[in-house]
């Protein structure tokens, strides 16, 4: 779904003289820039993501993309882990298996998953680190570290850009995109020599430096929605 519809664009810019097909084209152009490396560096609409990484510790993991949606709820799978029993080590499990829901909590407001040191997670922690947290250690627990298990989180995140959305973030992005489009179609913005989002290159020869600054200011708004790196 585009951030703006042609009808919404005319509401923001009533003096803009564009045919519907032209409006769709300039919206697509501006949104492509807004979602490129210059801006959000991601798809902003509701999208399903699959994130795979090593489970290095028990604790909080903040998902890169936000806001996190509860429908469908995130699903978590794990593989390449071994178990510790009172009879010793159980060989590694190489296929993906679903992690029990009581092994983690989901904070939808923050977009964070907290893995709890209970059940399977605790057993894996013993196998991986040789340390049992809060439970009695097995007799034959490992005395050295093992490779960490693999984790796969499937989740849905993004924004609903339907015209009737009441989200403050959505309204802010719609307004910023309309402002970008206004700059793109004015004479001052004709000074934008080229735009190549995939190569991270924008060249300017505009006579209006103020227009260029405004254009970059609007892109800065979208950068606030870039994926988080402290996962």
């Amino acid at each position: 779904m585009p951030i703006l519809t042609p009808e919404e664009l005319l509401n923001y810019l009533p003096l803009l003289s564009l045919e519907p097909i032209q409006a769709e084209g300039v919206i697509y152009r501006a949104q492509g820039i807004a979602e490129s490396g210059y801006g959000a560096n991601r798809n902003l609409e509701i999208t399903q993501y699959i994130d795979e990484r090593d489970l290095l510790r028990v604790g909080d993991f903040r998902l890169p993309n936000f806001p996190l949606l509860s429908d469908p709820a995130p699903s978590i799978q794990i593989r390449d882990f071994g178990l510790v029993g009172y009879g010793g080590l159980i060989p590694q499990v190489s296929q993906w298996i679903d992690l029990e829901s009581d092994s983690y909590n989901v904070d939808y407001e923050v977009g964070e998953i907290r893995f709890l040191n209970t059940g399977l997670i605790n057993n894996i922690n013993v196998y991986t680190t040789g340390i049992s947290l809060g439970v009695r250690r097995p007799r034959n627990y490992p005395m050295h570290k093992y490779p960490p298990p693999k984790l796969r989180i499937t989740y849905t995140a993004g924004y609903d850009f339907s015209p009737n959305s009441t989200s403050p973030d959505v309204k802010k992005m719609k307004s910023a995109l309309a402002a970008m489009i206004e700059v793109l179609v004015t004479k001052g913005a004709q000074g934008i020599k080229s735009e190549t989002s995939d190569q991270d290159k924008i060249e300017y020869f505009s006579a209006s430096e103020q227009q260029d600054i405004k254009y970059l200011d609007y892109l800065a708004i979208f950068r606030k929605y870039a994926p988080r790196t402290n996962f």
Side-chain angles (χ1 to χ4, degrees), residues 49-110:
Y49 298 92
I50 298 177
D51 203 308
E52 294 187 11
R53 58 189 61 244
D54 293 338
L55 178 59
L56 298 175
R57 60 181 174 82
V58 174
D60 300 339
F61 289 85
R62 183 166 291 187
L63 295 170
N65 299 291
F66 59 95
L68 178 63
L69 303 186
S70 59
D71 187 17
S75 64
I76 303 177
Q77 296 175 303
I78 197 166
R79 77 174 187 188
D80 296 342
F81 63 90
L83 300 176
V84 178
Y86 283 94
L89 295 178
I90 300 174
Q92 283 193 329
V93 179
S94 59
Q95 72 272 19
W96 289 110
I97 67 167
D98 294 328
L99 196 60
E100 311 101 314
S101 59
D102 61 356
S103 296
Y104 59 90
N105 291 330
V106 181
D107 187 330
Y108 290 98
E109 184 175 351
V110 179

Side-chain angles (χ1 to χ4, degrees), residues 33-207:
I33 299 170
E35 294 182 334
S36 73
Y38 293 109
N41 197 29
R42 56 173 281 206
N43 291 328
L44 290 165
E45 65 181 321
I46 295 174
T47 305
Q48 184 183 79
Y49 298 92
I50 298 177
D51 203 308
E52 294 187 11
R53 58 189 61 244
D54 293 338
L55 178 59
L56 298 175
R57 60 181 174 82
V58 174
D60 300 339
F61 289 85
R62 183 166 291 187
L63 295 170
N65 299 291
F66 59 95
L68 178 63
L69 303 186
S70 59
D71 187 17
S75 64
I76 303 177
Q77 296 175 303
I78 197 166
R79 77 174 187 188
D80 296 342
F81 63 90
L83 300 176
V84 178
Y86 283 94
L89 295 178
I90 300 174
Q92 283 193 329
V93 179
S94 59
Q95 72 272 19
W96 289 110
I97 67 167
D98 294 328
L99 196 60
E100 311 101 314
S101 59
D102 61 356
S103 296
Y104 59 90
N105 291 330
V106 181
D107 187 330
Y108 290 98
E109 184 175 351
V110 179
E112 193 170 77
I113 293 177
R114 165 168 287 187
F115 293 99
L116 307 175
N117 199 49
T118 60
L120 179 61
I121 288 293
N122 180 73
N123 205 310
I124 292 171
N125 190 59
V126 176
Y127 178 89
T128 305
T129 66
I131 300 173
S132 178
L133 304 178
V135 298
R136 181 181 176 186
R137 280 192 275 182
R139 181 176 303 169
N140 297 320
Y141 70 95
M143 296 300 295
H144 60 281
K145 292 185 178 181
Y146 287 75
K150 303 293 183 183
L151 194 69
R152 181 165 69 186
I153 303 175
T154 303
Y155 68 101
T156 303
Y159 295 90
D160 178 7
F161 289 106
S162 58
N164 59 350
S165 173
T166 59
S167 165
D169 289 299
V170 168
K171 291 181 177 180
K172 184 186 300 183
M173 284 186 276
K174 286 179 180 287
S175 178
L177 194 73
M180 282 179 59
I181 291 171
E182 183 177 27
V183 174
L184 285 172
V185 298
T186 59
K187 290 183 179 180
Q190 299 307 315
I192 297 178
K193 183 178 179 181
S194 63
E195 305 160 357
T196 313
S197 299
D198 58 343
Q199 296 180 1
D200 287 344
K201 182 178 181 183
I202 295 181
E203 298 180 18
Y204 296 92
F205 64 90
S206 173

